[in-house]
Amino acid sequence: MWRRALRGVVRPALALAGLGVVGSALADTPLSSTPTYKFQGRIDYVTTGATFRTKRNSATAADSCAVGTTATSQAVSGVPAGATIRRALLYWAASATRTGDTDTVPGPVVNDATVNFDGQSVSAMTLFTDSTPIPSVAAPTTYNSFFSDVADVTAYIAGLVTPNKTYSMTGLTIQSTNVGTASATTPARSSGHCTYATVLGGWGLYIIYDDPTTTYKNLVMYEGFERSQNTNISRTMTGLRVPTTFSARTSILAWEGDETLNVNTTTNVAEALSFGAGQTPSAITNIFNVGGAGSGARQGIFNSTISTGLSSGTTATASGRDDAYGVDFDTFDVTAKTSTGATSATINIIGSQDLFYLSSVPILITSGVADLSLTKAVSNATPVIGSTVTYRLTLSNAGPDPVSSAVVPPENVVVSDALPAGLSFVSASASSGTYDAPSGQWSVPEPVANSSVTLDITATVTGTGTITNVTEVTSSPQPDSDSTPGNGVTTEDDYASVPLTVVQPLTVSKAFSPATVPAGGVSALTITITNPSSFAAGTLSVTDDLAGTMGLSRPLPLRLTANSCGGTVTTGTTPATLTVGSPANESSDGILKLTGGNVAAGGSCALTVQVTVPDASATTRTNTIPAANVTATISGQAVTAAANATGTLSSTTSSAGAAFTCDARFYQLRQDPLTLLSNLYVLDRRNLAAGGAAQWASGFGPG
């Protein structure tokens, strides 16, 4: 009924839990302008509440002070079968006493933050308090104090067989008597709840539920503990985004409002409540809240009623009760007072002599529907390890509505694209929004309907095998008509993945056999090329400068004995083709070349060539094929060997230059043109003196 305000009564340290403030005791707190809670999906909500007061305010002073020990609600009946409870929020409020008063400064309000709700002990997560000087700030003679608390009772409600039932609260401490004696010199030493008809004790419950059969909706709740008495209040609540087709509903939970004193004593204007989103606010009423200056049940607006209105107007159908003394909890259809495209809602209150507190205001609006989809492409699906690739993500919205929530502050669509192992981030470029490489999140501000935005991510390929990069819409402020953000379902159109198959360099090895030969001897050199990729290698080319790397004299006899790589093997400044099994070629440059070869995916090939060591010195020679001298094309890309290939060949000292003793034998050194092996043939003439014949020893004799 009465009062003015004292702020800053109790302010303990703040802690956060969810979207509420935990453990806080706040002074008269204006209704929040941004949402305290936000919900989205196929949701809806129901309300109920009750009062501890047992009588209306009347000419009999004791009536306004009468309270009971239990406050029981009417039965909830609106939660459909098959629904699941998303959140249940319990609010309660009461007139209070204080501790630590001085003569002129009220002490902290005693807040009963733990109550018994339906047999369950419930503790508040958010606490509000306020003390008001009476009759005025300038000349108080007493102070009346109040508190209001909020608790999360989701677990209890969700555990019920059905939430459609009556609920009761007990154990609430209510200051229902006067304390001390009013005095202009010691006003803070007293309170006069009974005298000034401001006894309060009651509760209200929101049950927010998911229902797979209902439409997509967005719900926001604004919270506070804002006092009104003979004052006008206008509160603009931001964060709405109303789609093209919608319905809208709001509720007002207020404390201490009574059905009397419905006129402002200064302006003589009756109390009123109006609402507008995207349009000038206009009155919201129903048959339980008809407005006007009259006194009595259902008169005025803040008038001790709990109701749910199905439409708007003083004759609008509603269900509820008009005996919730000191508790005012009404729900109104505000579709006609909401406009497409609205980004905020305004509630205007014309206050009266009646004292009341605004506690919470939810707004429920049917969501617009977006149709988000993702596509993903990569610049090269078979990159060579060490090269870079660029992914292009395209986020599209087929509408019909923009991607922004109907009633929450503008939030971004978040797309997750965390690079997997085997890819190293280089850079990113987005046509809209920003990409955070460490988290892999692309935050996109509200892509409008029937449009697309892109993100390019460039990365270096560091891994091998198949690397799959996954992209998914992980959150959206508006429902998607055919997919659910962040659920990991690969068949939905908000999920995309692109595999890479990495092309690896060729590996080359070489070996001489035997590894040691005498001067003038022959060793077989085998060169092996391995393709570790899962694609065949074509146009294989190998160049081996045998004479140059080993320091061998030219011309250098070379003979090809095996080749599983295909292609053409040549040697010489004027290229001569070597074929398997053909006689040796006196190579003018000592360079062996393979062109046009092939290596199967995951396979190997080899070529073998016989090399004659014409030099007489004893030494170890190293033959090296640089990595760049081994090239091929794999999946349309040029690759080289991963590393140089080397082989060593040792030769022993020749007997050339040793003393020669003529012993009537002729010696002939000849080279086999097929094997390139040199043989020493002996014509023994020592038996001629005895009348014998000369004989060739071992071999085929002179040609």
Side-chain angles (χ1 to χ4, degrees):
M1 300 265 302
W2 260 101
R3 75 195 191 116
R4 254 280 140 209
L6 178 71
R7 296 177 179 268
V9 176
V10 181
R11 287 185 181 273
L14 301 184
L16 295 182
L19 293 174
V21 180
V22 175
S24 62
L26 307 175
D28 167 28
T29 305
L31 199 67
S32 58
S33 61
T34 57
T36 309
Y37 306 97
K38 300 182 291 185
F39 307 95
Q40 172 192 343
R42 295 184 182 275
I43 60 171
D44 213 322
Y45 76 95
V46 294
T47 61
T48 191
T51 182
F52 283 88
R53 283 177 48 191
T54 58
K55 294 183 179 181
R56 285 184 167 89
N57 290 340
S58 70
T60 302
D63 288 353
S64 62
C65 309
V67 296
T69 58
T70 302
T72 301
S73 71
Q74 291 182 321
V76 171
S77 61
V79 181
T84 56
I85 305 304
R86 173 80 69 90
R87 196 79 177 268
L89 295 169
L90 177 66
Y91 294 73
W92 65 89
S95 46
T97 188
R98 301 180 299 275
T99 61
D101 293 337
T102 67
D103 288 347
T104 57
V105 179
V109 175
V110 177
N111 187 324
D112 188 357
T114 300
V115 296
N116 187 293
F117 181 70
D118 240 28
Q120 311 294 311
S121 179
V122 175
S123 296
M125 63 182 182
T126 308
L127 298 85
F128 301 94
T129 62
D130 187 33
S131 292
T132 180
I134 296 174
S136 68
V137 174
T141 60
T142 192
Y143 284 86
N144 285 349
S145 299
F146 304 87
F147 65 84
S148 177
D149 298 339
V150 189
D152 188 328
V153 292
T154 306
Y156 170 65
I157 302 297
L160 296 171
V161 175
T162 174
N164 295 322
K165 61 183 288 293
T166 61
Y167 296 89
S168 295
M169 180 181 287
T170 60
L172 178 63
T173 301
I174 303 169
Q175 183 61 36
S176 60
T177 60
N178 295 336
V179 175
T181 302
S183 168
T185 58
T186 59
R189 297 290 188 182
S190 64
S191 62
H193 287 293
C194 196
T195 298
Y196 292 100
T198 60
V199 172
L200 168 63
W203 60 269
L205 174 67
Y206 293 95
I207 299 176
I208 301 153
Y209 60 87
D210 290 280
D211 175 11
T213 66
T214 193
T215 57
Y216 285 102
K217 300 181 183 71
N218 283 271
L219 171 66
V220 289
M221 295 182 68
Y222 303 85
E223 204 171 76
F225 191 49
E226 182 165 9
R227 178 192 329 106
S228 175
Q229 187 177 39
N230 283 326
T231 56
N232 294 340
I233 296 174
S234 181
R235 287 287 170 261
T236 297
M237 295 166 288
T238 61
L240 274 69
R241 194 61 60 92
V242 181
T244 52
T245 303
F246 64 92
S247 61
R249 192 162 85 244
T250 190
S251 298
I252 309 290
L253 174 58
W255 307 118
E256 222 292 298
D258 290 295
E259 61 202 34
T260 58
L261 307 178
N262 293 330
V263 176
N264 187 304
T265 56
T266 301
T267 63
N268 205 35
V269 174
E271 67 184 23
L273 173 66
S274 58
F275 178 96
Q279 58 182 268
T280 301
S282 57
I284 50 176
T285 56
N286 60 29
I287 60 172
F288 284 87
N289 301 269
V290 299
S295 294
R298 307 190 182 189
Q299 301 298 305
I301 296 295
F302 300 96
N303 55 3
S304 297
T305 59
I306 298 176
S307 66
T308 298
L310 303 180
S311 57
S312 182
T314 57
T315 60
T317 302
S319 60
R321 62 192 300 177
D322 56 14
D323 59 352
Y325 314 127
V327 177
D328 205 63
F329 198 1
D330 298 299
T331 299
F332 305 91
D333 186 306
V334 290
T335 303
K337 303 176 189 306
T338 304
S339 300
T340 295
T343 58
S344 64
T346 298
I347 290 180
N348 289 337
I349 296 170
I350 297 176
S352 64
Q353 184 181 354
D354 192 15
L355 166 68
F356 59 85
Y357 287 89
L358 289 176
S359 181
S360 63
V361 176
I363 301 176
L364 181 77
I365 295 182
T366 304
S367 298
V369 177
D371 184 8
L372 293 174
S373 62
L374 271 176
T375 59
K376 187 173 192 174
V378 67
S379 58
N380 185 357
T382 55
V384 178
I385 188 171
S387 65
T388 59
V389 294
T390 298
Y391 292 95
R392 168 155 287 190
L393 285 62
T394 302
L395 175 65
S396 302
N397 177 23
D401 291 297
V403 182
S404 63
S405 176
V407 293
V408 301
E411 294 178 354
N412 293 350
V413 174
V414 177
V415 177
S416 176
D417 192 330
L419 294 177
L423 294 173
S424 178
F425 176 78
V426 175
S427 63
S429 175
S431 66
S432 178
T434 57
Y435 177 74
D436 179 64
S439 66
Q441 290 192 338
W442 177 25
S443 184
V444 187
E446 301 186 9
V448 298
N450 303 311
S451 71
S452 298
V453 292
T454 60
L455 169 67
D456 291 339
I457 303 174
T458 300
T460 300
V461 180
T462 58
T464 59
T466 299
I467 301 172
T468 301
N469 187 10
V470 172
T471 302
E472 185 180 17
V473 176
T474 52
S475 69
S476 171
Q478 184 152 300
D480 193 322
S481 60
D482 58 4
S483 57
T484 301
N487 65 354
V489 176
T490 61
T491 56
E492 293 183 349
D493 64 357
D494 69 344
Y495 184 103
S497 64
V498 173
L500 298 181
T501 303
V502 179
V503 172
Q504 300 180 63
L506 301 170
T507 60
V508 183
S509 63
K510 63 190 314 184
F512 288 93
S513 179
T516 302
V517 296
V522 175
S523 181
L525 169 65
T526 299
I527 302 171
T528 303
I529 300 96
T530 301
N531 174 18
S533 297
S534 54
F535 303 96
T539 64
L540 174 65
S541 173
V542 179
T543 300
D544 188 355
D545 186 357
L546 289 160
T549 62
M550 298 177 71
L552 296 175
S553 302
R554 302 179 182 87
L556 180 66
L558 300 174
R559 179 171 179 259
L560 184 67
T561 61
N563 178 16
S564 61
C565 298
T568 302
V569 180
T570 61
T571 189
T573 53
T574 301
T577 301
L578 302 181
T579 57
V580 175
S582 295
N585 181 277
E586 298 284 343
S587 173
S588 60
D589 59 7
I591 299 175
L592 181 71
K593 296 180 180 179
L594 168 68
T595 58
N598 298 280
V599 189
S604 299
C605 72
L607 55 89
T608 301
V609 61
Q610 290 180 334
V611 181
T612 299
V613 181
D615 302 79
S617 60
T619 188
T620 297
R621 298 175 173 85
T622 299
N623 172 220
T624 299
I625 303 178
N629 282 14
V630 181
T631 63
T633 301
I634 301 179
S635 188
Q637 299 170 95
V639 297
T640 63
N644 298 344
T646 60
T648 58
L649 176 63
S650 299
S651 58
T652 57
T653 305
S654 168
S655 60
F660 178 74
T661 302
C662 182
D663 61 359
R665 285 179 290 185
F666 290 92
Y667 297 87
Q668 185 180 54
L669 184 67
R670 299 191 64 188
Q671 186 180 53
D672 187 331
L674 293 178
T675 67
L676 298 184
L677 294 175
S678 297
N679 293 311
L680 182 66
Y681 300 96
V682 180
L683 179 62
D684 190 345
R685 296 168 55 99
R686 289 175 297 176
N687 60 354
L688 290 177
Q695 294 181 350
W696 286 99
S698 69
F700 48 81

